[in-house]
Amino acid sequence: MKAADRYTIETIGIPSVVLMERAALKTVEVLESRGVDTSRTLLVCGGGNNGGDGFAVARLLAEKGRKAEIFFTGKESSMSPECRMQKQIAENMGLPIFTEFPSREYTVIIDAVFGVGLSRDISGALSNVIQNMNDAPGYKVAIDIPSGVCAESGKILGTAFRADLTVAMACTKAGCELYPGKEKAGETVAVPIGIDPGFFLKVPDVCFTYEREDIPRLLPPRRADSHKGSYGHVLMITGSYGMAGASCLAAEAAYTVGAGLVQICTPEDNRVIVQQFLPEAILSCYNEFDGNKLDKLLQWADVVCIGCGLGTGEQAEKLLSHTLENVKVPCVVDADGLNLLSRNRELLRRAEAPLILTPHIMEMSRLTGMSVPEIKENRMAVLKEFTENSSAVCVLKDSRTVVAQRGKQVFVNLAGNSAMAKAGAGDVLAGTITGLLAQGMPPFEGAALGVCLHACGGDEIREHLGGYSVMARDLIRGIQMCIKKAGEQMEK
C-alpha cells in the first residue's frame, strides 16, 4: 500500500491530501449507504495518515450537521504532515478534540488510530484506549483496518479494535479476511480513492479472490460438437476397506464439474458399493499392488487424483510412490496421499508431473514439520517458503482456504461457511479440482476455481438446508446449482 501510495503521488501526480480527502469522502458514503447513525460520532485518531483520514471524516460529518468529536491519541511531535493539516482544519472549525477518552455515549465510534503499517504489539496506554473503544456502546467502524490487526497475517498484535464495519482503502487487506483478524474486522467494504488497481497486478505479494459473478467466465467451455472424451479421462486412486465413500464423493464431484470419464482404482472390497452409488464410473479393482496394471491406468488418464480414503498401509504407500514416480499428467494429492508423502518428501522433489497438493492445516504441519499454531499465525510466509522449494500448487485448506504456487499471486477464498465442516468435504474438493483439470485448465487456475466452486456450492446449499444439516454429498448438489446459475448467466 505504501508503494501504491507513492506511485500514485509521485508518478500519477495525485497529491497525498487528495487521496486522504477521497478516503474520508468514501468512508462517509459507506456509512450513509449502510444506514449507520452518525448523529453522535467519536473519531479516535492517531498521528499518522490513518488519523488524518479520521480528522477529515469528522469534518465532513460536521458539515452534514452531525455532532462529531475527536479523541486524539497521537503525539504532536510525530504527526505526519497530512494529519497535522487535517487536525488544524478541525481545530479551525471548532470541532471538539480531547486528549483523554470521553465518558459520554456515542452512536458510532470510528477507529483511525493505526493503519496498515503497524508491526508491533499494542501495549500500555494505547492498549487501554482500544479497550475503552471496545467497551463503549455504539456501532463500531474501522478506517482501512482495525487497529491491532496485522494487515498481512490477521494476527492480533497484543489487542485489537473490534469493528462491525471496516472501510478499506483501494483494496481489502488480507488481515481483515484471515482469522483471527476477520473476527475483528466485521463486514469489509473496499472503496476506490484514486489508486489504480492495476498497480497491484504487478506485485507478487498481493492476493486476489473470485466472486460468484466471476464463475461464468472461468468455467471451461462446453462445445456443441463434443463427446465424453473431449472433457478428459480422470483416474481416481482412492478408497480402502471401509472408506469407499471417499472414492464415491470425489468421483461424483469430478463428474459434476464437467469431466467426461472417471475411472476409480480401488480395492475389490469396494466394488459393489461404488457401482451402486455411482454407476457412471468405470471400476478397476485390485486385491494387491500391481505396478504394470497401474502403469496402464496412468497412461490412460489425463489427470490423476490419489489419496482420498486411501489409507496409510504398505499397499497404499506402494500406490503413491509408483504413481508419483511415473505419472506424466497433473496429479492431485489429497488426504492419506499427503500423510504418506510427509513420510517420504523426496517423492515431492522427484516428481516430474504437475502436482496439486490439498492439505488441511494438520496435514500441512506434517509436510513442513511446523506446528499448527505456527502455520496459522504465519500461513502466507509458510506457503511462500513451501512453494518456493517446490513447483507444486498448494491448496491450504482452512476457514480461509489459500492457493499458492511459485511465481503466482496467492488466491484467497472468501466464500464458504461453517456448515461445510463435515467429513467428506475434502474429498468433494479434491474431485472438483480434478474434474476441472481434466478439461484442460492449468493446475493453479483449476485449483483456485475448484476452491471457489466448492465454497459457493456450500453457500448455495446452506440456504436450503441451514447451517447444521449439510452433508458432504449435499455440497455436490450445491455445486450443481451454482454451475446451473453460471450457465444461465453465460446464455444471457
Side-chain angles (χ1 to χ4, degrees):
M1 284 305 299
K2 289 179 180 178
D5 281 346
R6 188 164 54 249
Y7 173 81
T8 304
I9 294 164
E10 297 176 1
T11 303
I12 303 300
I14 301 176
S16 177
V17 69
V18 173
L19 295 178
M20 188 171 284
E21 286 294 306
R22 287 285 299 276
L25 283 165
K26 288 296 180 180
T27 298
V28 173
E29 283 182 14
V30 171
L31 294 176
E32 291 177 338
S33 69
R34 293 297 189 278
V36 177
D37 181 0
T38 56
S39 58
R40 299 188 313 281
T41 300
L42 177 66
L43 280 297
V44 185
C45 300
N49 280 3
N50 192 250
D53 294 342
F55 279 109
V57 169
R59 168 169 48 82
L60 293 174
L61 289 175
E63 290 173 357
K64 291 175 174 287
R66 314 295 198 273
K67 185 175 182 180
E69 299 181 341
I70 301 162
F71 170 39
F72 179 53
T73 67
K75 296 179 180 179
E76 294 282 349
S77 59
S78 58
M79 294 175 70
S80 71
E82 294 84 357
C83 184
R84 187 181 302 278
M85 182 189 69
Q86 295 287 3
K87 181 174 181 288
Q88 185 62 59
I89 295 172
E91 289 174 345
N92 295 343
M93 291 181 63
L95 297 183
I97 300 178
F98 309 109
T99 54
E100 292 185 5
F101 198 88
S103 58
R104 63 198 72 182
E105 290 190 4
Y106 297 90
T107 57
V108 59
I109 295 176
I110 301 180
D111 166 29
V113 181
F114 294 107
V116 297
L118 183 67
S119 58
R120 67 184 188 279
D121 281 2
I122 297 175
S123 60
L126 285 173
S127 178
N128 293 332
V129 168
I130 299 297
Q131 190 62 51
N132 287 337
M133 295 163 68
N134 286 337
D135 290 344
Y139 192 78
K140 309 293 172 59
V141 177
I143 296 180
D144 207 20
I145 187 169
S147 294
V149 173
C150 175
E152 181 181 10
S153 68
K155 176 184 176 182
I156 305 304
L157 299 171
T159 187
F161 180 69
R162 186 175 59 251
D164 299 298
L165 172 68
T166 298
V167 184
M169 304 307 147
C171 61
T172 299
K173 310 308 176 288
C176 289
E177 292 296 347
L178 299 176
Y179 288 91
K182 175 63 178 174
E183 295 171 339
K184 302 294 185 180
E187 179 191 7
T188 301
V189 180
V191 294
I193 62 169
I195 294 174
D196 180 8
F199 176 87
F200 299 112
L201 298 176
K202 308 166 190 173
V203 185
D205 289 338
V206 171
C207 307
F208 75 99
T209 193
Y210 292 143
E211 296 178 346
R212 181 82 69 94
E213 295 75 18
D214 294 315
I215 293 174
R217 68 175 178 82
L218 296 169
L219 283 171
R222 306 289 288 189
R223 299 177 300 278
D225 184 18
S226 61
H227 52 82
K228 62 188 177 186
S230 305
Y231 303 108
H233 293 177
V234 170
L235 175 62
M236 291 274 176
I237 306 173
T238 54
S240 57
Y241 180 74
M243 295 294 288
S247 294
C248 297
L249 290 168
E252 186 178 8
Y255 269 133
T256 293
V257 297
L261 202 58
V262 178
Q263 183 164 188
I264 302 173
C265 178
T266 195
E268 185 66 41
D269 293 326
N270 293 337
R271 179 185 293 276
V272 174
I273 298 171
V274 175
Q275 284 186 325
Q276 288 179 339
F277 183 91
L278 194 66
E280 297 89 345
I282 303 171
L283 279 185
S284 180
C285 296
Y286 59 86
N287 286 312
E288 58 185 22
F289 174 76
D290 185 335
N292 291 329
K293 182 178 180 181
L294 183 54
D295 282 337
K296 291 178 182 177
L297 294 175
L298 293 174
Q299 291 166 11
W300 171 86
D302 295 311
V303 62
V304 175
C305 176
I306 184 169
C308 305
L310 189 66
T312 55
E314 182 180 349
Q315 187 158 256
E317 195 165 358
K318 289 179 180 178
L319 285 167
L320 180 75
S321 297
H322 191 92
T323 297
L324 295 190
E325 288 170 353
N326 293 279
V327 67
K328 306 299 181 188
V329 296
C331 182
V332 176
V333 185
D334 184 52
D336 287 332
L338 295 165
N339 294 326
L340 291 167
L341 189 58
S342 67
R343 299 180 191 170
N344 186 4
R345 300 180 200 177
E346 185 62 30
L347 284 173
L348 183 59
R349 289 185 282 272
R350 291 207 309 262
E352 296 180 2
L355 298 184
I356 301 88
L357 312 181
T358 58
H360 55 56
I361 295 288
M362 181 59 75
E363 290 161 348
M364 191 67 173
S365 176
R366 298 185 188 111
L367 282 171
T368 61
M370 300 179 69
S371 69
V372 168
E374 284 178 307
I375 296 171
K376 279 183 168 289
E377 189 170 306
N378 303 287
R379 74 188 67 207
M380 294 303 187
V382 171
L383 265 175
K384 183 175 182 180
E385 182 179 356
F386 184 80
T387 53
E388 283 294 326
N389 294 317
S390 167
S391 60
V393 174
C394 185
V395 179
L396 181 56
K397 299 182 294 193
D398 199 20
S399 52
R400 285 287 187 253
T401 296
V402 181
V403 183
Q405 185 180 26
R406 185 172 60 210
K408 301 274 190 180
Q409 287 186 312
V410 173
F411 171 81
V412 179
N413 177 59
L414 303 185
N417 59 82
S418 60
M420 302 170 66
K422 292 285 180 69
D427 303 318
V428 174
L429 176 59
T432 300
I433 294 171
T434 304
L436 293 170
L437 299 183
Q439 298 168 77
M441 290 194 73
F444 178 83
E445 287 74 10
L449 178 57
V451 168
C452 177
L453 268 177
H454 181 257
C456 289
D459 289 338
E460 191 77 39
I461 202 64
R462 185 181 64 169
E463 293 181 13
H464 294 267
L465 300 180
Y468 288 84
S469 302
V470 172
M471 304 288 283
R473 59 181 175 269
D474 296 321
L475 297 177
I476 295 174
R477 184 153 65 95
I479 294 170
Q480 290 171 339
M481 296 159 67
C482 202
I483 291 178
K484 179 177 181 292
K485 290 182 178 179
E488 291 169 351
Q489 286 293 319
M490 287 187 278
E491 292 171 1
K492 289 182 179 179

